[in-house]
């Protein structure tokens, strides 16, 4: 596959690994947070960590759109799904996300709720057109990548005058969350979090561009390198962060220049601005309330807003007490530090947000990376060393 | 493994709640379900081996194989459940060759959302039925279908058995003059099921006759190795089973209505719903056809067995090119006893 | 997050704002409603059935070249062009 | 019988339209369906005998029995259908004991309203698969469930086979140092199925690899009777199958990602849907584990067979108390290859 | 079972058979029509015909409520069932009745229509209460026996103010049909139909009493004996007809005095009169249009009339051309005279009305009585003789 | 037509206008909304879940007696009482 396979080539990996090993200062520890689950996934699936020196540690951030949705909103989606009039459409990833009482959309479906897995927002629209007697609700989630497709379908529904289609909007914004990680009061409670640099979102940035990170890099004096999701992208961007840190710089750099520009996709941005407006605050699972970090449907499209149509009220709902996700998402703890990891909390039956999607830190750790320390006593990886 | 290791190998997936698609995915959830339910309750070395098949050294003799899917509704009914039924049904089909059943396989098709507690109850019941019968369930399979694409649980069992030397039972062996024997009252299973159907609900003390008949059959073939036909009149009832045999053997069969054992509850329920008990399902009954000279001995052996105490001669085979089943009514007239046409629906007229 | 892949446009339906893309030997219909303009032969980043952005072959080549360089020449710096 | 008689015995029930509850009633409609479809197409003496079981004289040797329920959707897919799959699936599970499959049984659970033309197409396909494999379907069963309580058709097949003298294959026999072989590319079946699912539809030339592997296995056990493990990586994919074997044998297994054959279409489709090909179902693949000394001979025999032309060594067994499956990635790193967790859903992240 | 078993006793049968044989004049043929399918069923199931002399012939009348419903009305029921809003409730007997194109409710159900088999009209009401979002339609059929239960449920629905319940009324009246058989112009086309006497309805008469047959007996000079449905009832009533004919009488007599009175069930009659009114004409399958032979829902209960609620229009629909039901129902032909009998037309796949229910003449003939002539060449029965 | 059976009333629920009837050993709840009055121990004719009419034990006995008579005494006429 062109523009895919080239960026997974093992031979180039060895060159990059050698460069990183050479350039990483043995006197320092490099804590690099990959914000995106896409990076987390690549690191574990391809074994990138094995190619890193012991003093380079990846901190797995909150960047999985499924994991960050707070329990209260998943509860809302469940309520909608259990309304006998409603056909709830959502992406496959959302099906297993645990809500209050370990319920999930998959379980609701098993109990008879009409929940449909869609591949694209267009599928939801088609289902609404084909089932005029059903209230079709798109349970819309995700970052800046999935938001424009939701905007498109909302405009199409409005143009067609569809009466039985609405959107339960849960789109969130990544720059606000990245900022929040270094700024929130919770960080102080958890303890000192040493994050030296950030791998910036790749596909999100294809829409919003690299510009939105510039304020952050300056304000918090941390390098941000927009990085592709292929393993060589991650390695090259890591090298770029090391070089910035070694050189005392804190800039926004763009490793993923083949897709990301400074300004992003203007047409998509305009569509989003037309249909959505900022929420003053929104809860992120594991992070708590984050100001100006989410979108809601504008009044012009109120007829298609499921929150209004069905009087959705989000009640506060707590995550499991022993779940260490908040600390893990900020880099203060590792998945194996959690008492529930692998016993009560597994991908088949997740407790916390980090175990939900294959991009969550706990899930990736479980699926691809656990127990290197036991099967490979030679401590090359930071997990083994920790 | 240390306690610490176990934690990394993966905690048990909770076996509470209900059947999920992941239980049929072939992944860890499937493996755990199989271990926690099937291997645990059916418990035998072949199943514990964990292979996709069971291996065994067969005894000498001809083997038989038989299979039946079980789709009963309601799943739990007076006198049994789909699990015990699935064990008995296939044991009986194997036994109807005059054979001694050796092993069973069980393939489950589960509907997403089916309560795991109900599944465990069924598995426990199967395990008990299999143990009581002395026929272990040695291999199996589990699939899960989406809600609305199944009906709780379907169980297909397959059995293998061995035919004793000198026994050759088959539906095409009835000859004019042969005697038809039945081991007890008809219609108990079907009426027990119907009594629990929504809308039809009526009160009765009838329980299903579901039972494994291989012990009875073993006594019968030991006493009369030359027994010609054995068959269990399950769905379609006595009437359909006899029509099958009549066609296979190209003989007519004549029944004596007054001789057919039937419980008062079954008669009454059939009158109430407009059903004919000759077409009602049985799950612990068999008909045997033997030479006239063997009939009394066979009847005595049947009556000596707990599952044949009410055994009776109910008719005889006659020459008839058209292979009709006919019956002298208790009233004194004659009628044809046809195949079940369509399905029996409760009727108002 | 945000699983997305570069795929080549093999045909375009202007009226429906859709295109068929090829990912290796596999073909799929997607929406191109989010792109200003797009031509057959372009590579686009596909996410949940939508093209999010065009891919620049030149930048891809340049990135690969830099990767190769880093491995070969330990001291080589990244070209200015890759900064945002 | 004269033409006039035939008229009184009952005209054929039309086999047009769709499955009706009466086809499962056990009455004349059931008997006619069985004759017109199953007996006619599967055509063999044991089935024609019309008994509720099949009897046969087994060859000398240990026997194996295996069963699988088949619930595939869509029912017809590129490269096969539920019928051929039901034949291949059970033949393969029997063959994975190193055995020669002898006979199959088939139990159908039909949903009311399922087109009879589709059913006939499936039965014809099963008959062809069974004939080509030389493994006749000798007994069966048919049940009908109400609309909304099934999914068109489910088929449970059970197979019996005989293990050649000196062969002893089992999932618990892998030893550190043993070599893991695979007979061809992974993921073809699962991707062919997914390509036809509504919503996911994509264009690919991939067809299911569904095939009967007993011929290949016969060659393999003839060349290397001491072969330790055989298993077909069906649902749950290569990853789940290897985890099963690792746990049974209490060894670690190490794969070499670059050595695992995979078609470009499968890779691309998996990327598109966010799926991992290691977890995608196969229906014509097997893994074999043998002593290192036997590996080259076994590989050569596999490559000489039409169903093993792309056979490859894909890894080895290692000592590991935790029985992990691990993989050296094509990229150069290492990862655990876990059981499939939950079920694989297409994902956006 | 008390009051059942006594009337099936074989010993009494022999006495009655002997009496009939003695009293039936060998010089005469006695053609006795049993109007009701219940009698037909008893005659075949118990083998009553075998106990009759050769010159006594039972002519099987049209008295099966399922068989007499014209195709057009079954088509209407099918249309209702296929309306996605509708849950159609009906008795099990109706499920297999063939409509145009050999469709049936059973087939519609197989194709996804929501058709429920009920045991009692109360079940339909319960389904309506439990499913307020469904339009529950009771497909009401039958003679004077099933009509009062429909009246009860209509009044209950009205009292409860149920909004989602209605009745598709097809209740018909037996006296009108009996009259019609001897009076209709079709009889002339078919040829001379010699019916010497009638076994009158048993259960219908428990509701309407024996009085309604008096005019008929006088007008057409035929004896009518109300007869129970047990085999001894049929035999005794037959003896009573023979005696009337031998004595030149043509009266209404009541063999079924344990249940039937001259006036019937006044409460039930009042309920029916309150809820229903006469139709001026209604089609009977096999008989054609019969004046004043059916009921419709009164205007006071119009809100519960499915014909009005769903704008039901009954279109003319033809029975299969070769079906001999019209002649069979009038006694002019026997089922075996029909070319389709047993080949194209069987109970599994009925063509005409007489094959539909187990009480239809063709079905009873097929199921219980066919081919005695082949297996018992000694011609004791009239079929063999004919 | 009109399948109906005599069954004995074993209990009555006045408010719901229902009764439990026994048909031999089998019991079933039916509606008695069509009957003027009915008591436990009465036999009623049950059709589609409704009692249509009471059964007269005296008439039943009389009918049986007549049947027996007809068999025994060929010339016996039916009693006047059985005419409608
Ligand atoms: S293992 Fe589960 S409970 Fe523990 S931190 Fe991770 S997600 Fe939370
Ligand atoms: S056999 Fe069928 S077609 Fe012929 S008269 Fe009877 S119902 Fe009509
Ligand atoms: Mg069987
Ligand atoms: Mg059976
Ligand atoms: Mg059987
Ligand atoms: Mg299996
Ligand atoms: Mg269901
Ligand atoms: Mg198997
Ligand atoms: Mg298998
Ligand atoms: Mg297998
Ligand atoms: Mg069977
Ligand atoms: Mg379905």
């Amino acid at each position: 596959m062109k523009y895919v396979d080239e960026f997974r080539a093992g031979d180039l990996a060895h060159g990059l690994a050698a460069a990183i090993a050479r350039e990483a200062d043995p006197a320092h520890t490099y804590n690099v947070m990959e914000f995106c689950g896409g990076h987390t996934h690549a690191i574990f699936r391809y074994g990138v960590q094995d190619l890193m020196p012991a003093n380079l540690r990846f901190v797995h951030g909150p960047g999985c759109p499924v994991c960050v949705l707070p329990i209260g909103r998943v509860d809302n989606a469940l309520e909608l799904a259990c309304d006998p009039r409603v056909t709830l459409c959502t992406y496959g990833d959302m099906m297993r996300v645990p809500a209050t009482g370990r319920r999930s959309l998959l379980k609701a479906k098993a109990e008879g709720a009409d929940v449909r897995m869609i591949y694209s927002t267009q599928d939801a629209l088609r289902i609404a057109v084909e089932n005029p007697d059903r209230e079709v609700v798109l349970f819309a989630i995700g970052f800046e990548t999935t938001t424009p497709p939701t905007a498109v379908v909302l405009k199409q529904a409005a143009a067609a005058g569809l009466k039985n289609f609405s959107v339960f909007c849960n789109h969130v914004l990544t720059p606000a969350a990245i900022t929040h990680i270094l700024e929130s009061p919770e960080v102080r409670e958890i303890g000192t979090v040493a994050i030296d640099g950030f791998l910036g979102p790749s596909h999100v940035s294809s829409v919003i561009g690299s510009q939105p990170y510039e304020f952050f890099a300056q304000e918090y004096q941390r390098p941000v390198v927009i990085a592709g999701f292929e393993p060589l992208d991650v390695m090259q961007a890591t090298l770029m962060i090391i070089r910035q840190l070694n050189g005392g710089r804190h800039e926004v750099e763009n490793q993923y220049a083949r897709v990301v520009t400074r300004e992003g996709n203007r047409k998509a941005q305009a569509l989003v601005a037309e249909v959505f407006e900022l929420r003053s605050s929104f809860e992120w699972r594991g992070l708590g309330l984050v100001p100006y970090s989410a979108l809601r449907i504008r009044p012009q499209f109120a007829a298609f807003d499921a929150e209004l149509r069905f009087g959705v009220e989000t009640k506060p709902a707590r995550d499991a007490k022993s779940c260490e996700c908040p600390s893990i998402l900020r880099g203060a703890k590792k998945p194996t530090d959690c008492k529930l990891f692998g016993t009560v909390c597994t991908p088949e039956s997740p407790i916390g947000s980090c175990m939900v999607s294959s991009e969550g830190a706990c899930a990736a750790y479980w699926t691809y990376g656990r127990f290197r320390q036991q099967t490979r006593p030679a401590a090359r990886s930071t997990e083994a060393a920790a | 493994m240390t306690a610490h290791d176990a934690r990394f190998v993966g905690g048990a997936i909770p076996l509470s709640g209900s059947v999920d698609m992941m239980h049929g995915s072939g992944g860890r959830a499937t493996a755990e379900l199989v271990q926690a339910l099937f291997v645990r309750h059916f418990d035998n070395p072949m199943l514990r081996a964990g292979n996709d098949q069971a291996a065994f050294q067969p005894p000498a003799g001809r083997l038989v194989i038989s299979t039946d899917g079980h789709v009963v509704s309601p799943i739990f009914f007076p006198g049994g459940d789909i699990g015990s039924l699935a064990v008995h049904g296939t044991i009986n089909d194997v036994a109807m060759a005059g054979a001694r059943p050796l092993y069973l396989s069980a393939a489950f098709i589960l509907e997403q959302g089916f309560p795991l507690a109900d599944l465990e109850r069924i598995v426990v019941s199967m395990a008990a039925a299999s143990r009581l019968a002395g026929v272990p369930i040695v291999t199996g399979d589990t699939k899960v279908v989406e809600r609305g694409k199944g009906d709780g649980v379907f169980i297909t069992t397959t059995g293998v058995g061995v035919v004793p030397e000198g026994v050759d039972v088959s539906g095409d062996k009835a000859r004019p003059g042969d005697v038809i024997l039945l081991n007890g009252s008809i219609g108990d299973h079907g009426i027990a099921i119907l009594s629990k159907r929504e809308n039809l609900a009526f009160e009765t003390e009838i329980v299903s006759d579901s039972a494994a008949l291989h012990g009875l059959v073993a006594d019968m073939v030991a006493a009369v190795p030359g027994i010609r036909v054995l068959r269990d009149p399950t769905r379609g009832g006595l009437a359909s089973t006899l029509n099958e045999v009549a066609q296979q053997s190209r003989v007519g069969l004549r029944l004596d209505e007054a001789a057919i054992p039937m419980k008062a509850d079954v008669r009454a329920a059939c009158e109430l719903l407009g059903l004919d008990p000759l077409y009602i399902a049985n799950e612990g009954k068999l008909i045997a056809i033997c030479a006239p000279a063997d009939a009394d001995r066979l009847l005595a052996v049947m009556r000596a067995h707990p599952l044949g105490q009410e055994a009776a001669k109910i008719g005889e085979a006659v020459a008839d090119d058209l292979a009709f089943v006919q019956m002298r009514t208790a009233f004194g007239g004659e009628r044809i006893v046809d195949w079940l046409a369509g399905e029996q629906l409760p009727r108002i007229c | 997050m945000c699983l997305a892949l570069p795929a080549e446009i093999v045909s375009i339906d202007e009226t429906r704002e859709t295109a068929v893309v090829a990912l290796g030997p596999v073909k799929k219909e997607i929406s191109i409603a989010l792109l200003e303009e797009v031509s057959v032969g372009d590579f686009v980043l596909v996410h949940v059935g939508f093209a999010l952005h065009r891919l620049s072959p030149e930048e891809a080549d340049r990135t690969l070249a830099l990767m190769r360089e880093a491995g070969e020449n330990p001291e080589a710096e990244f070209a200015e062009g890759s900064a945002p």
Side-chain angles (χ1 to χ4, degrees), chain A residues 33-41 44 58-64 67 324-325 327-331 333-336 341 347 352-370 383:
Chain A
M33 173 177 270
E34 82 276 5
F35 179 82
C36 285
H39 292 132
T40 309
H41 196 251
F44 280 94
F58 288 116
V59 176
H60 316 307
C64 157
C67 310
E324 301 281 8
C325 281
S327 302
I328 292 169
L329 293 179
R330 291 174 179 82
K333 290 196 174 167
K334 289 185 287 96
T336 44
F341 178 83
S353 65
C354 303
M355 192 60 97
V356 164
S357 122
S358 65
E359 307 212 327
C362 294
Y365 208 85
W366 167 268
T367 306
Y368 296 121
R370 69 192 194 275
E383 280 88 342

Side-chain angles (χ1 to χ4, degrees), chain A residues 319-320 322-326 328 334-346 349-356 361-363, chain B residues 7:
Chain A
D319 269 290
S322 323
C323 174
E324 301 281 8
C325 281
I328 292 169
K334 289 185 287 96
T336 44
D337 294 334
C338 172
K339 286 197 302 272
L340 306 182
F341 178 83
T343 53
V344 177
C345 184
T346 63
S349 187
I351 297 287
S353 65
C354 303
M355 192 60 97
V356 164
C362 294
Chain B
R7 195 179 141 217

Side-chain angles (χ1 to χ4, degrees), chain B residues 172-216:
Chain B
D172 61 359
K173 292 197 179 305
R175 295 291 166 265
D178 282 358
V179 177
I180 310 169
L181 303 163
L182 175 69
N183 70 319
S185 63
I186 63 168
D188 298 4
H189 176 72
I191 294 301
I193 294 280
L194 275 179
S195 74
K196 296 301 164 196
R197 288 263 170 87
E198 213 198 348
N199 284 8
L200 299 181
F202 52 88
E203 263 178 68
T204 163
E205 275 160 24
I206 281 286
V207 298
S208 169
D209 58 343
S210 179
L213 295 169
H214 59 310
L216 172 61

Side-chain angles (χ1 to χ4, degrees), chain A residues 243-255:
Chain A
R243 286 176 179 172
Q244 281 206 41
L245 290 170
N246 288 352
R249 288 181 292 128
H250 41 78
E251 296 163 12
V252 174
E253 287 182 308
N254 181 12
Q255 181 276 335

Side-chain angles (χ1 to χ4, degrees), chain B residues 311-341:
Chain B
K313 293 188 202 175
I314 61 163
E316 55 171 6
V318 297
D320 178 0
D321 278 356
L322 290 172
F324 283 137
V325 180
Q326 299 197 47
M327 183 164 81
R328 175 146 203 97
T329 68
F331 186 70
E334 300 232 358
R335 55 172 270 209
I336 284 184
V337 176
D338 201 8
W339 292 90
L340 173 58

Side-chain angles (χ1 to χ4, degrees), chain C residues 11 23 25-26 28 34 38 46 48 53 55 62 74:
Chain C
S11 70
L23 181 70
V26 166
K28 171 130 192 94
L34 295 175
V38 72
V46 177
V48 296
H53 209 279
L55 179 142
R62 192 175 345 213

